[in-house]
Amino acid sequence: MAFFRQSSVQGKSFPLERTDAEWRSSLPPESYRVLRQHGTERPGSSTLNHEKRPGHFHCAGCGQALFDAATKYESGTGWPSFFAPLEGAVGTRVDRTLFMVRTEVHCANCGGHLGHVFPDGPAPTGLRYCMNGAAMAFESANKS
């Protein structure tokens, strides 16, 4: 099953690399904590939970497009959830923190921590990409 297969995006090298000081100075504190320190925002705290317009969700660190809004759904978890990322936009790696094994999702361009993916999502993929809103920005398709 593809869910458990590690992404080809491995290691510590990404197309966009910055020093910790550069990340710290370019990101709001909460985004830095989530993207660069693998933090998690409080459930229900993101304004992106309620975003329903057509458009794309981008990495708040580097601007890479990650998810089409058409793949977003209400999972009831308190975090923005998607059933599929854009092709090549994210990578995964095994996360063994908190005394459990999960699959971490990160931006394929800058390596920023976005959230986790779980095998309890809706069709057609059966996956739930549970993302931190602080790790993303939304760009509406209707730029008016």
Side-chain angles (χ1 to χ4, degrees), residues 93-112:
R93 71 181 100 198
V94 174
D95 175 0
R96 297 184 191 283
T97 61
L98 302 177
F99 305 105
M100 64 181 97
V101 178
R102 300 179 292 174
T103 302
E104 177 199 352
V105 178
H106 58 267
C107 174
N109 187 50
C110 71

Side-chain angles (χ1 to χ4, degrees), residues 6-136:
Q6 288 190 338
S7 166
S8 61
V9 180
Q10 290 292 321
K12 296 179 176 141
S13 181
F14 293 94
L16 175 64
E17 297 214 1
R18 295 181 178 150
T19 66
D20 186 62
E22 289 170 328
W23 284 119
R24 192 179 293 274
S25 69
S26 68
L27 294 169
E30 180 69 352
S31 294
Y32 173 81
R33 187 180 73 76
V34 171
L35 285 164
R36 307 319 306 175
Q37 297 180 320
H38 298 253
T40 300
E41 67 193 5
R42 285 185 349 269
S45 65
S46 175
T47 59
L48 295 183
N49 285 338
H50 309 291
E51 185 56 68
K52 299 191 185 318
R53 296 174 290 169
H56 287 99
F57 292 81
H58 294 257
C59 176
C62 70
Q64 162 122 328
L66 303 168
F67 297 94
D68 187 303
T71 66
K72 186 173 184 282
Y73 72 99
E74 179 52 55
S75 67
T77 62
W79 289 279
S81 296
F82 305 85
F83 61 78
L86 294 170
E87 188 173 338
V90 304
T92 61
R93 71 181 100 198
V94 174
D95 175 0
R96 297 184 191 283
T97 61
L98 302 177
F99 305 105
M100 64 181 97
V101 178
R102 300 179 292 174
T103 302
E104 177 199 352
V105 178
H106 58 267
C107 174
N109 187 50
C110 71
H113 169 77
L114 303 170
H116 292 86
V117 61
F118 303 95
D120 60 0
T125 65
L127 300 176
R128 173 174 50 97
Y129 287 82
C130 190
M131 303 292 98
N132 287 285
M136 299 185 300

